[in-house]
């Protein structure tokens, strides 16, 4: 199967595109050795479509035929240019995550496809182990423990973030918002910071008496 509408010029263009695509396949494969199979399909010759293959995880060889997806691309000019992260499976049953990128020439004809097949089975055991590692238990703690030390800088940042989330500045907060902020800071232990109340009065533009009133 050959491109249409360009004769010899299209043929030369197709050959150039395939040569350039082969460089991409080689580079991608060598970036993810042993993890991701990268295949270049020459869709002009579906019976011998596999032109290059890096990290051979599927057992295919150069000269093997196109897959069902490749044949669908050949038959349908409107087939999506990119199919990304779809589930797949290697011949031995290992699960894979695949992406297929169609390559068109200047006439809009699909002449090649680059396919990436990531062996996700390699990550399954690691994923389960990590899930167990990071799992915690509800130990019925009488108090909530925080391992970080409270700092004045952290207090200022929390006040500014609170105000920014409401589209204003700390001094632009209304009384109800200021009271909610101060009580929240107390509950989270941030008023234990040295000089916390003077810092709040400066940020919020209120008196110390007002801050203490919010805490009642």
């Amino acid at each position: 199967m050959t491109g249409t509408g360009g004769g010899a010029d299209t043929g030369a263009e197709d050959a150039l595109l395939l040569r350039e695509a082969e460089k991409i396949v080689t580079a991608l494969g060598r970036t993810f050795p042993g993890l991701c199979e990268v295949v270049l399909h020459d869709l002009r010759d579906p019976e011998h479509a596999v032109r290059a293959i890096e990290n051979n995880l599927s057992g295919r060889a150069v000269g093997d035929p196109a897959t069902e997806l490749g044949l669908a691309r050949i038959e349908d000019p409107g087939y999506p240019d990119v199919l990304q992260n779809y589930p797949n499976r290697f011949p031995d049953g290992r699960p894979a995550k695949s992406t297929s990128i169609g390559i068109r020439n200047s006439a809009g004809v699909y002449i090649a496809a680059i396919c990436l097949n990531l062996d996700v089975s390699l990550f399954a055991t690691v994923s389960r182990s990590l899930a167990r590692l990071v799992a915690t238990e509800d130990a019925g703690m009488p108090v909530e423990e925080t391992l970080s030390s409270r700092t004045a800088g952290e207090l200022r940042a929390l006040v500014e973030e609170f105000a920014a989330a409401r589209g204003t500045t700390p001094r632009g907060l209304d009384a109800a918002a200021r009271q909610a902020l101060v009580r929240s800071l107390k509950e989270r232990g941030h008023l234990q910071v040295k000089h916390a109340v003077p810092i709040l009065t400066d940020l919020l533009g209120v008196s110390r008496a007002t801050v203490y009133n919010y805490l009642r």
Side-chain angles (χ1 to χ4, degrees):
M1 181 175 180
T2 59
T4 59
D9 290 341
T10 301
E13 178 193 21
D14 293 352
L16 174 62
L17 288 171
L18 281 159
R19 288 197 302 273
E20 295 302 303
E22 193 164 348
K23 296 178 186 177
I24 296 172
V25 166
T26 300
L28 286 174
R30 293 178 182 178
T31 301
F32 303 103
L35 297 176
C36 186
E37 177 184 80
V38 190
V39 186
L40 175 60
H41 296 274
D42 183 347
L43 300 182
R44 304 172 305 170
D45 185 9
E47 293 298 321
H48 308 91
V50 177
R51 173 171 173 139
I53 184 166
E54 290 285 331
N55 297 328
N56 193 334
L57 301 176
S58 63
R60 287 175 292 176
V62 172
D64 277 358
T67 62
E68 296 86 349
L69 193 152
L71 295 174
R73 258 208 183 95
I74 294 170
E75 295 171 0
D76 181 8
Y79 204 81
D81 287 336
V82 178
L83 291 176
Q84 194 163 357
N85 297 331
Y86 59 90
N88 213 334
R89 193 164 292 276
F90 291 111
D92 61 4
R94 285 172 297 161
K97 183 173 77 170
S98 298
T99 291
S100 177
I101 307 163
I103 298 174
R104 301 177 188 262
N105 60 18
S106 58
V109 176
Y110 279 123
I111 57 102
I114 295 176
C115 297
L116 297 88
N117 303 305
L118 180 68
D119 184 357
V120 296
S121 70
L122 297 173
F123 305 103
T125 300
V126 174
S127 176
R128 286 192 292 270
S129 297
L130 288 174
R132 288 196 296 269
L133 181 64
V134 302
T136 58
E137 298 179 4
D138 183 0
M141 297 292 291
V143 297
E144 182 177 347
E145 181 184 34
T146 302
L147 301 180
S148 61
S149 298
R150 306 301 188 188
T151 66
E154 183 180 10
L155 176 60
R156 291 179 182 277
L158 288 171
V159 172
E160 291 168 356
E161 288 171 8
F162 182 92
R166 289 155 180 77
T168 186
T169 64
R171 290 186 174 232
L173 292 168
D174 60 29
R178 290 196 300 267
Q179 183 178 47
L181 169 63
V182 171
R183 288 183 174 179
S184 173
L185 292 172
K186 179 184 178 182
E187 291 170 0
R188 296 159 64 185
H190 290 284
L191 295 193
Q192 297 173 9
V193 172
K194 188 176 182 180
H195 305 308
V197 172
I199 291 172
L200 285 177
T201 61
D202 179 58
L203 287 171
L204 299 176
V206 298
S207 68
R208 293 192 183 191
T210 299
V211 171
Y212 288 123
N213 187 53
Y214 289 154
L215 294 172
R216 291 175 184 170

